[in-house]
Amino acid sequence: MSGRGMSGTEPVETQVADGIWTITLNRPERRNAIDARLQASLVAALAAFDADADARVAVLTGADPAFCAGMDLRELGTGRLDFSDNPTYADALRRCRKPVIGAINGAAVAGGFEIALGCDFLLASDRAWFADTHAKVGVLPGGGLTVHLTEAVGVRLARRLSLTGEFVDAERALRVGLVTEVVPHADLLPRATAVAAEVAARDAEMVAGLRTSYERAINLPAAEALDAEAAASRRTGIPTGTVRAATDGLITRGSAWIGTSER
């Protein structure tokens, strides 16, 4: 079941199976709002995932009914949520060298929106929605929202969403490219896990190389990114045995799909 209603008391719960880490934000009574304890636990969970030699991919979700409602405003207002010295959720996501898939089961607001945007890509429940409410609260985003939201939907729409604070439901999020797939709520975690299994089945060095190439595509001028991709491909070479086996499998799968689609 997506965004499980966790019974444990830890603010972040982890489950591990077959190289897939499921990391769940677990303050459902506060809509998984970010306080100091949740942030520290999420940073630790992502670091442990990254350091685990057997870990291949993570699925990041929330305990129902929300994905993450952003900063816990009660704690933020007291000054206890300090970003000056300790690593933040944004730091942890940036440093992670392995793919993290966001399974967005409900509201992803402000800081919660930033956590979602820090993932490699997103799947959404039909109950998911997104909003940047930083302007309404009176706090400028500091977790990468203006950068990642621009990458996801383009600068014009990103500005509109931040300046107005309007809500984006799951279907609109799919139309504008914010999420890659929308599924019924009960199917979210099984579907995200199935996609994660596809990623986990790929060669780990190949996955790391692709992620690096996409980072370069985003952060470097186009000419430099193209040169870097070509150089990385030359260094990797072409493993003929692997390519031959993969090609045979793709031909078989493709033939079966074509046969099904024509019926």
Side-chain angles (χ1 to χ4, degrees):
M1 186 175 190
S2 68
R4 301 168 305 284
M6 291 286 179
S7 58
T9 59
E10 293 301 314
V12 173
E13 299 280 349
T14 59
Q15 295 180 337
V16 182
D18 301 321
I20 301 171
W21 281 50
T22 302
I23 302 173
T24 305
L25 308 179
N26 186 39
R27 295 185 72 210
E29 74 287 352
R30 295 290 297 160
R31 301 296 190 268
N32 303 320
I34 304 161
D35 64 358
R37 189 163 167 253
L38 183 144
Q39 175 158 257
S41 296
L42 179 56
V43 168
L46 288 168
F49 159 67
D50 200 35
D52 182 355
D54 296 324
R56 302 300 301 277
V57 57
V59 174
L60 178 57
T61 192
D64 281 339
F67 175 72
C68 177
M71 295 297 174
D72 190 320
L73 297 181
R74 294 187 304 188
E75 184 159 336
L76 190 65
T78 66
R80 290 195 301 268
L81 195 54
D82 185 10
F83 295 98
S84 58
D85 298 317
N86 298 322
T88 67
Y89 56 82
D91 297 326
L93 285 163
R94 286 185 64 190
R95 292 171 183 169
C96 192
R97 297 165 297 175
K98 299 172 183 177
V100 178
I101 299 170
I104 313 304
N105 58 297
V109 180
F113 198 0
E114 288 182 321
I115 292 175
L117 288 166
C119 297
D120 285 70
F121 57 88
L122 305 178
L123 284 74
S125 153
D126 53 10
R127 298 182 190 175
W129 55 274
F130 305 83
D132 177 17
T133 58
H134 282 93
K136 290 183 177 181
V137 176
V139 177
L140 283 173
L145 185 139
T146 58
V147 175
H148 295 315
L149 186 56
T150 299
E151 291 170 355
V153 302
V155 66
R156 303 297 181 185
L157 182 55
R159 285 175 175 170
R160 171 175 168 166
L161 296 179
S162 290
L163 295 175
T164 64
E166 65 188 70
F167 292 1
V168 178
D169 65 18
E171 290 301 328
R172 184 183 179 197
L174 181 62
R175 289 198 306 272
V176 302
L178 184 57
V179 306
T180 62
E181 187 174 350
V182 176
V183 299
H185 187 70
D187 296 340
L188 177 62
L189 200 55
R191 178 58 181 152
T193 302
V195 173
E198 289 286 329
V199 176
R202 306 285 82 81
D203 177 77
E205 291 187 9
M206 185 61 61
V207 170
L210 282 168
R211 292 184 79 245
T212 298
S213 291
Y214 275 108
E215 286 300 315
R216 287 173 177 152
I218 292 168
N219 295 313
L220 294 178
E224 292 182 36
L226 288 167
D227 289 342
E229 182 188 89
S233 181
R234 286 194 296 271
R235 285 195 302 271
T236 303
I238 300 175
T240 54
T242 302
V243 170
R244 187 177 299 112
T247 300
D248 292 343
L250 288 171
I251 290 171
T252 300
R253 288 172 59 191
S255 298
W257 185 88
I258 290 170
T260 301
S261 66
E262 288 179 344
R263 284 199 291 270

